[in-house]
mmCIF file with all atom_site columns, all heavy atoms in Angstrom:
data_model
loop_
_atom_site.group_PDB
_atom_site.id
_atom_site.type_symbol
_atom_site.label_atom_id
_atom_site.label_alt_id
_atom_site.label_comp_id
_atom_site.label_asym_id
_atom_site.label_entity_id
_atom_site.label_seq_id
_atom_site.pdbx_PDB_ins_code
_atom_site.Cartn_x
_atom_site.Cartn_y
_atom_site.Cartn_z
_atom_site.occupancy
_atom_site.B_iso_or_equiv
_atom_site.pdbx_formal_charge
_atom_site.auth_seq_id
_atom_site.auth_comp_id
_atom_site.auth_asym_id
_atom_site.auth_atom_id
_atom_site.pdbx_PDB_model_num
ATOM 1   N N   . VAL A 1 17 ? -8.924  21.147 -19.787 1.00 80.00 ? 119 VAL A N   1
ATOM 2   C CA  . VAL A 1 17 ? -7.653  22.060 -19.569 1.00 80.00 ? 119 VAL A CA  1
ATOM 3   C C   . VAL A 1 17 ? -7.906  22.966 -18.326 1.00 80.00 ? 119 VAL A C   1
ATOM 4   O O   . VAL A 1 17 ? -6.979  23.189 -17.659 1.00 80.00 ? 119 VAL A O   1
ATOM 5   C CB  . VAL A 1 17 ? -7.417  22.864 -20.882 1.00 80.00 ? 119 VAL A CB  1
ATOM 6   C CG1 . VAL A 1 17 ? -6.383  23.899 -20.692 1.00 80.00 ? 119 VAL A CG1 1
ATOM 7   C CG2 . VAL A 1 17 ? -7.159  21.952 -22.061 1.00 80.00 ? 119 VAL A CG2 1
ATOM 8   N N   . ALA A 1 18 ? -9.101  23.473 -18.217 1.00 82.00 ? 120 ALA A N   1
ATOM 9   C CA  . ALA A 1 18 ? -9.389  24.357 -17.079 1.00 82.00 ? 120 ALA A CA  1
ATOM 10  C C   . ALA A 1 18 ? -9.251  23.478 -15.729 1.00 82.00 ? 120 ALA A C   1
ATOM 11  O O   . ALA A 1 18 ? -8.708  24.088 -14.737 1.00 82.00 ? 120 ALA A O   1
ATOM 12  C CB  . ALA A 1 18 ? -10.764 24.921 -17.189 1.00 82.00 ? 120 ALA A CB  1
ATOM 13  N N   . ALA A 1 19 ? -9.678  22.316 -15.781 1.00 80.00 ? 121 ALA A N   1
ATOM 14  C CA  . ALA A 1 19 ? -9.527  21.513 -14.548 1.00 80.00 ? 121 ALA A CA  1
ATOM 15  C C   . ALA A 1 19 ? -8.084  21.232 -14.264 1.00 80.00 ? 121 ALA A C   1
ATOM 16  O O   . ALA A 1 19 ? -7.679  21.223 -13.094 1.00 80.00 ? 121 ALA A O   1
ATOM 17  C CB  . ALA A 1 19 ? -10.241 20.150 -14.760 1.00 80.00 ? 121 ALA A CB  1
ATOM 18  N N   . TRP A 1 20 ? -7.217  21.014 -15.284 1.00 78.00 ? 122 TRP A N   1
ATOM 19  C CA  . TRP A 1 20 ? -5.809  20.748 -15.088 1.00 78.00 ? 122 TRP A CA  1
ATOM 20  C C   . TRP A 1 20 ? -5.155  22.079 -14.357 1.00 78.00 ? 122 TRP A C   1
ATOM 21  O O   . TRP A 1 20 ? -4.340  21.870 -13.558 1.00 78.00 ? 122 TRP A O   1
ATOM 22  C CB  . TRP A 1 20 ? -5.023  20.396 -16.305 1.00 78.00 ? 122 TRP A CB  1
ATOM 23  C CG  . TRP A 1 20 ? -5.518  19.249 -17.005 1.00 78.00 ? 122 TRP A CG  1
ATOM 24  C CD1 . TRP A 1 20 ? -6.116  18.137 -16.442 1.00 78.00 ? 122 TRP A CD1 1
ATOM 25  C CD2 . TRP A 1 20 ? -5.314  18.920 -18.416 1.00 78.00 ? 122 TRP A CD2 1
ATOM 26  N NE1 . TRP A 1 20 ? -6.414  17.242 -17.430 1.00 78.00 ? 122 TRP A NE1 1
ATOM 27  C CE2 . TRP A 1 20 ? -5.950  17.616 -18.644 1.00 78.00 ? 122 TRP A CE2 1
ATOM 28  C CE3 . TRP A 1 20 ? -4.791  19.598 -19.518 1.00 78.00 ? 122 TRP A CE3 1
ATOM 29  C CZ2 . TRP A 1 20 ? -5.984  17.045 -19.850 1.00 78.00 ? 122 TRP A CZ2 1
ATOM 30  C CZ3 . TRP A 1 20 ? -4.851  19.005 -20.722 1.00 78.00 ? 122 TRP A CZ3 1
ATOM 31  C CH2 . TRP A 1 20 ? -5.464  17.727 -20.963 1.00 78.00 ? 122 TRP A CH2 1
ATOM 32  N N   . ARG A 1 21 ? -5.612  23.149 -14.899 1.00 77.00 ? 123 ARG A N   1
ATOM 33  C CA  . ARG A 1 21 ? -5.011  24.467 -14.481 1.00 77.00 ? 123 ARG A CA  1
ATOM 34  C C   . ARG A 1 21 ? -5.451  24.678 -12.945 1.00 77.00 ? 123 ARG A C   1
ATOM 35  O O   . ARG A 1 21 ? -4.675  25.061 -12.140 1.00 77.00 ? 123 ARG A O   1
ATOM 36  C CB  . ARG A 1 21 ? -5.466  25.588 -15.294 1.00 77.00 ? 123 ARG A CB  1
ATOM 37  C CG  . ARG A 1 21 ? -4.844  26.891 -14.902 1.00 77.00 ? 123 ARG A CG  1
ATOM 38  C CD  . ARG A 1 21 ? -5.345  28.019 -15.825 1.00 77.00 ? 123 ARG A CD  1
ATOM 39  N NE  . ARG A 1 21 ? -4.641  29.226 -15.536 1.00 77.00 ? 123 ARG A NE  1
ATOM 40  C CZ  . ARG A 1 21 ? -3.730  29.789 -16.301 1.00 77.00 ? 123 ARG A CZ  1
ATOM 41  N NH1 . ARG A 1 21 ? -3.379  29.244 -17.490 1.00 77.00 ? 123 ARG A NH1 1
ATOM 42  N NH2 . ARG A 1 21 ? -3.125  30.834 -15.951 1.00 77.00 ? 123 ARG A NH2 1
ATOM 43  N N   . ALA A 1 22 ? -6.662  24.296 -12.697 1.00 79.00 ? 124 ALA A N   1
ATOM 44  C CA  . ALA A 1 22 ? -7.238  24.527 -11.287 1.00 79.00 ? 124 ALA A CA  1
ATOM 45  C C   . ALA A 1 22 ? -6.545  23.544 -10.320 1.00 79.00 ? 124 ALA A C   1
ATOM 46  O O   . ALA A 1 22 ? -6.451  23.828 -9.132  1.00 79.00 ? 124 ALA A O   1
ATOM 47  C CB  . ALA A 1 22 ? -8.757  24.407 -11.252 1.00 79.00 ? 124 ALA A CB  1
ATOM 48  N N   . ASN A 1 23 ? -6.227  22.261 -10.798 1.00 75.00 ? 125 ASN A N   1
ATOM 49  C CA  . ASN A 1 23 ? -5.726  21.283 -9.865  1.00 75.00 ? 125 ASN A CA  1
ATOM 50  C C   . ASN A 1 23 ? -4.507  20.634 -10.582 1.00 75.00 ? 125 ASN A C   1
ATOM 51  O O   . ASN A 1 23 ? -4.575  19.563 -11.219 1.00 75.00 ? 125 ASN A O   1
ATOM 52  C CB  . ASN A 1 23 ? -6.765  20.251 -9.635  1.00 75.00 ? 125 ASN A CB  1
ATOM 53  C CG  . ASN A 1 23 ? -6.247  19.110 -8.680  1.00 75.00 ? 125 ASN A CG  1
ATOM 54  O OD1 . ASN A 1 23 ? -5.192  19.239 -8.126  1.00 75.00 ? 125 ASN A OD1 1
ATOM 55  N ND2 . ASN A 1 23 ? -7.111  18.133 -8.458  1.00 75.00 ? 125 ASN A ND2 1
ATOM 56  N N   . PRO A 1 24 ? -3.347  21.242 -10.505 1.00 70.00 ? 126 PRO A N   1
ATOM 57  C CA  . PRO A 1 24 ? -2.105  20.769 -11.121 1.00 70.00 ? 126 PRO A CA  1
ATOM 58  C C   . PRO A 1 24 ? -1.610  19.431 -10.639 1.00 70.00 ? 126 PRO A C   1
ATOM 59  O O   . PRO A 1 24 ? -0.824  18.782 -11.310 1.00 70.00 ? 126 PRO A O   1
ATOM 60  C CB  . PRO A 1 24 ? -1.084  21.846 -10.857 1.00 70.00 ? 126 PRO A CB  1
ATOM 61  C CG  . PRO A 1 24 ? -1.600  22.718 -9.769  1.00 70.00 ? 126 PRO A CG  1
ATOM 62  C CD  . PRO A 1 24 ? -3.116  22.484 -9.730  1.00 70.00 ? 126 PRO A CD  1
ATOM 63  N N   . HIS A 1 25 ? -2.183  18.903 -9.566  1.00 71.00 ? 127 HIS A N   1
ATOM 64  C CA  . HIS A 1 25 ? -1.758  17.573 -9.096  1.00 71.00 ? 127 HIS A CA  1
ATOM 65  C C   . HIS A 1 25 ? -2.650  16.522 -9.620  1.00 71.00 ? 127 HIS A C   1
ATOM 66  O O   . HIS A 1 25 ? -2.427  15.277 -9.393  1.00 71.00 ? 127 HIS A O   1
ATOM 67  C CB  . HIS A 1 25 ? -1.848  17.566 -7.580  1.00 71.00 ? 127 HIS A CB  1
ATOM 68  C CG  . HIS A 1 25 ? -0.871  18.631 -6.934  1.00 71.00 ? 127 HIS A CG  1
ATOM 69  N ND1 . HIS A 1 25 ? 0.506   18.473 -7.063  1.00 71.00 ? 127 HIS A ND1 1
ATOM 70  C CD2 . HIS A 1 25 ? -1.099  19.720 -6.267  1.00 71.00 ? 127 HIS A CD2 1
ATOM 71  C CE1 . HIS A 1 25 ? 1.103   19.443 -6.464  1.00 71.00 ? 127 HIS A CE1 1
ATOM 72  N NE2 . HIS A 1 25 ? 0.127   20.297 -5.970  1.00 71.00 ? 127 HIS A NE2 1
ATOM 73  N N   . MET A 1 26 ? -3.679  16.817 -10.391 1.00 70.00 ? 128 MET A N   1
ATOM 74  C CA  . MET A 1 26 ? -4.547  15.862 -10.970 1.00 70.00 ? 128 MET A CA  1
ATOM 75  C C   . MET A 1 26 ? -3.830  14.935 -11.921 1.00 70.00 ? 128 MET A C   1
ATOM 76  O O   . MET A 1 26 ? -2.969  15.468 -12.721 1.00 70.00 ? 128 MET A O   1
ATOM 77  C CB  . MET A 1 26 ? -5.737  16.548 -11.677 1.00 70.00 ? 128 MET A CB  1
ATOM 78  C CG  . MET A 1 26 ? -6.631  15.611 -12.385 1.00 70.00 ? 128 MET A CG  1
ATOM 79  S SD  . MET A 1 26 ? -7.849  16.286 -13.520 1.00 70.00 ? 128 MET A SD  1
ATOM 80  C CE  . MET A 1 26 ? -8.268  17.862 -12.802 1.00 70.00 ? 128 MET A CE  1
ATOM 81  N N   . VAL A 1 27 ? -4.163  13.714 -11.972 1.00 73.00 ? 129 VAL A N   1
ATOM 82  C CA  . VAL A 1 27 ? -3.498  12.713 -12.931 1.00 73.00 ? 129 VAL A CA  1
ATOM 83  C C   . VAL A 1 27 ? -4.528  12.450 -13.928 1.00 73.00 ? 129 VAL A C   1
ATOM 84  O O   . VAL A 1 27 ? -5.573  11.853 -13.728 1.00 73.00 ? 129 VAL A O   1
ATOM 85  C CB  . VAL A 1 27 ? -3.050  11.453 -12.167 1.00 73.00 ? 129 VAL A CB  1
ATOM 86  C CG1 . VAL A 1 27 ? -2.521  10.414 -13.102 1.00 73.00 ? 129 VAL A CG1 1
ATOM 87  C CG2 . VAL A 1 27 ? -2.114  11.705 -11.052 1.00 73.00 ? 129 VAL A CG2 1
ATOM 88  N N   . PRO A 1 28 ? -4.196  12.850 -15.257 1.00 72.00 ? 130 PRO A N   1
ATOM 89  C CA  . PRO A 1 28 ? -5.155  12.602 -16.317 1.00 72.00 ? 130 PRO A CA  1
ATOM 90  C C   . PRO A 1 28 ? -5.377  11.127 -16.634 1.00 72.00 ? 130 PRO A C   1
ATOM 91  O O   . PRO A 1 28 ? -4.492  10.309 -16.216 1.00 72.00 ? 130 PRO A O   1
ATOM 92  C CB  . PRO A 1 28 ? -4.495  13.277 -17.538 1.00 72.00 ? 130 PRO A CB  1
ATOM 93  C CG  . PRO A 1 28 ? -3.471  14.182 -16.987 1.00 72.00 ? 130 PRO A CG  1
ATOM 94  C CD  . PRO A 1 28 ? -3.047  13.664 -15.611 1.00 72.00 ? 130 PRO A CD  1
ATOM 95  N N   . GLN A 1 29 ? -6.484  10.832 -17.196 1.00 73.00 ? 131 GLN A N   1
ATOM 96  C CA  . GLN A 1 29 ? -6.719  9.474  -17.672 1.00 73.00 ? 131 GLN A CA  1
ATOM 97  C C   . GLN A 1 29 ? -5.643  8.913  -18.605 1.00 73.00 ? 131 GLN A C   1
ATOM 98  O O   . GLN A 1 29 ? -4.997  9.740  -19.279 1.00 73.00 ? 131 GLN A O   1
ATOM 99  C CB  . GLN A 1 29 ? -8.008  9.354  -18.364 1.00 73.00 ? 131 GLN A CB  1
ATOM 100 C CG  . GLN A 1 29 ? -9.296  9.715  -17.432 1.00 73.00 ? 131 GLN A CG  1
ATOM 101 C CD  . GLN A 1 29 ? -9.389  8.746  -16.277 1.00 73.00 ? 131 GLN A CD  1
ATOM 102 O OE1 . GLN A 1 29 ? -9.206  7.479  -16.555 1.00 73.00 ? 131 GLN A OE1 1
ATOM 103 N NE2 . GLN A 1 29 ? -9.722  9.269  -15.111 1.00 73.00 ? 131 GLN A NE2 1
ATOM 104 N N   . PRO A 1 30 ? -5.421  7.665  -18.697 1.00 74.00 ? 132 PRO A N   1
ATOM 105 C CA  . PRO A 1 30 ? -4.326  7.089  -19.599 1.00 74.00 ? 132 PRO A CA  1
ATOM 106 C C   . PRO A 1 30 ? -4.360  7.608  -21.006 1.00 74.00 ? 132 PRO A C   1
ATOM 107 O O   . PRO A 1 30 ? -3.332  7.944  -21.613 1.00 74.00 ? 132 PRO A O   1
ATOM 108 C CB  . PRO A 1 30 ? -4.530  5.541  -19.528 1.00 74.00 ? 132 PRO A CB  1
ATOM 109 C CG  . PRO A 1 30 ? -5.190  5.307  -18.174 1.00 74.00 ? 132 PRO A CG  1
ATOM 110 C CD  . PRO A 1 30 ? -6.110  6.598  -17.946 1.00 74.00 ? 132 PRO A CD  1
ATOM 111 N N   . GLU A 1 31 ? -5.556  7.671  -21.608 1.00 78.00 ? 133 GLU A N   1
ATOM 112 C CA  . GLU A 1 31 ? -5.654  8.139  -23.006 1.00 78.00 ? 133 GLU A CA  1
ATOM 113 C C   . GLU A 1 31 ? -5.203  9.615  -23.093 1.00 78.00 ? 133 GLU A C   1
ATOM 114 O O   . GLU A 1 31 ? -4.480  9.958  -24.047 1.00 78.00 ? 133 GLU A O   1
ATOM 115 C CB  . GLU A 1 31 ? -7.099  7.959  -23.568 1.00 78.00 ? 133 GLU A CB  1
ATOM 116 C CG  . GLU A 1 31 ? -7.253  8.484  -24.926 1.00 78.00 ? 133 GLU A CG  1
ATOM 117 C CD  . GLU A 1 31 ? -6.502  7.715  -25.982 1.00 78.00 ? 133 GLU A CD  1
ATOM 118 O OE1 . GLU A 1 31 ? -6.038  6.473  -25.772 1.00 78.00 ? 133 GLU A OE1 1
ATOM 119 O OE2 . GLU A 1 31 ? -6.096  8.338  -27.003 1.00 78.00 ? 133 GLU A OE2 1
#
Side-chain angles (χ1 to χ4, degrees):
V119 174
W122 299 338
R123 185 180 186 110
N125 183 5
H127 300 291
M128 179 191 323
V129 176
Q131 295 296 320
E133 179 60 30

